[in-house]
Amino acid sequence: MIDVRALRENPEPAKDSQRARGADPGLVDEIIEADAARRGALQEFESLRATQKEVSKSVGRASKEERPAILAKAKELAEQVKAAEAAANAADAEADRLARLLPNLVLDGVPRGGEDDYTVLRHEGPAPRDFAAEGFEPKDHLALGEGLDAIDTKRGAKVSGARFYYLKGVGARLELALMSMALDQAHRAGFVPMMTPTLVSPQIMGGTGFLGEHSDEIYYLPADDLYLTGTSEVALAGYHADEILDLSDGPKRYLGWSTCYRREAGAAGKDTRGIIRVHQFNKAEMFSYCRPEDAAEEHARFLAWEEEMLAKAELPYRVIDTAAGDLGTSAARKFDCEAWLPTQERYMEVTSTSNCTTFQARRLGIRERREDGTAPVATLNGTLATTRWLVALLENHQRPDGSIRVPEAMRPYLGGVEALEPVR
């Protein structure tokens, strides 16, 4: 949620942010008008209530002759106060509803536009392989995974429907190796490892900004009024809800390991083969609470940690600065790392790190104590590993016989195995 007082004082940055996102800048004026109506309704209620209290006090001092008129006036005022309170509550609810519709304000330098308007910052890692020069046609990750007896989408669909799968044998071990490597790296960097809840309340889900334009991507359990999380960011953001933090020693950092669930409602016909875009997957997610003035530096550190993991996986990748219209509700800036996918000759997102400034903290009541009082903190998140990484690992490290070379950094997590061999 945005600081409405700052919005009143200078609405132009918010309007420009909306324009950069391709969204309606008129929403800013609606919020300011609703806030003025809220403050006016509250003032009217408090004024009437003060008058009511004075009249009520005068009853005891009134003469017998004056009392009936005063009592009638008190009764009339009570009805007015009740109506004014209802109006103030309604105005407050409407102002809050509109304020929650406004996405976070994008930071200076973020590319304007939509999904395809990102800026490529750089290319990193080894050069994409020339399979033609190596003398063979690369197989896609599903064919390789089936050859290893590591991925089973047919039985996944039989049991749960489309876009579900089993990881088995070396597939399960490979994912655990990747996730464990991420956890170890994060732990060495000072993160507190956490196994997080995957069901959260509407207050926590809404507080993180996921119940806006992308709410159709979330699984909801109406009988329990709980949501399945699509990232442990949600549970980690809610961990310190309604608390005052001490950040005098630096950011509080957590590494969440959880299963994630996404409906993928808007992805019909896209990446349906294999395990690129699925309903259930595992993810290791970094999360930080820090001072707002330190958020940009923390964001750079998150990106560096993600790139450290990609270097260990020995993957060719590029870093993009995501355009404003593709940031999502909470992010003010987002960097994605996209690994090269040989069989599709394109880059595929494998990590994402977002600076959410104070947006989530304001919604969730997370503050820090400072010399001049308390103030909202900044929150940041970033991916260290997900199930999707297996797609890039299998395709980029395949050999002509269908075996997979294991990157050196991952070998200790697989008992020293240097290659995954297909099942004969």
Side-chain angles (χ1 to χ4, degrees), residues 208-289:
T208 50
F210 283 96
L211 291 185
E213 57 182 310
H214 298 296
S215 59
D216 60 343
E217 294 292 330
I218 303 168
Y219 286 103
Y220 176 58
L221 283 66
D224 304 286
D225 194 24
L226 292 171
Y227 289 91
L228 280 167
T229 58
T231 167
S232 59
E233 170 195 343
V234 179
L236 293 171
Y239 186 67
H240 285 301
D242 300 316
E243 295 182 21
I244 297 176
L245 306 181
D246 180 3
L247 299 179
S248 58
D249 292 332
K252 287 185 175 294
R253 300 184 181 122
Y254 301 97
L255 189 283
W257 179 330
S258 74
T259 301
C260 306
Y261 304 89
R262 297 184 184 177
R263 293 187 63 239
E264 296 290 358
K270 187 176 182 181
D271 289 332
T272 56
R273 178 173 165 82
I275 60 171
I276 295 178
R277 195 179 295 271
V278 291
H279 295 306
Q280 177 183 325
F281 56 94
N282 291 313
K283 182 161 70 142
E285 181 83 357
M286 299 179 289
F287 196 89
S288 175
Y289 299 89

Side-chain angles (χ1 to χ4, degrees), residues 140-161:
D140 75 3
H141 74 281
L142 182 57
L144 292 164
E146 289 176 341
L148 296 169
D149 197 23
I151 302 172
D152 191 334
T153 56
K154 293 178 181 178
R155 290 185 176 88
K158 177 179 70 175
V159 170
S160 302

Side-chain angles (χ1 to χ4, degrees), residues 5 20 28 55 84 87 155 164 166 189 194 197 223 263 265 279 306 370 378 381 386 417:
R5 181 182 299 178
V28 177
V55 171
R155 290 185 176 88
F164 286 93
Y166 286 87
M194 298 183 75
R263 293 187 63 239
H279 295 306
E306 291 179 340
R370 306 186 73 132
N381 63 79
T386 71
V417 171

Side-chain angles (χ1 to χ4, degrees), residues 1 4 30-31 33-39 89-101:
M1 183 178 291
V4 179
E30 291 182 50
I31 293 169
E33 291 169 7
D35 178 63
R38 177 192 64 80
R39 289 182 290 119
N89 288 339
D92 183 65
E94 176 62 6
D96 184 71
R97 184 189 72 80
L98 286 171
R100 287 178 177 272
L101 292 178

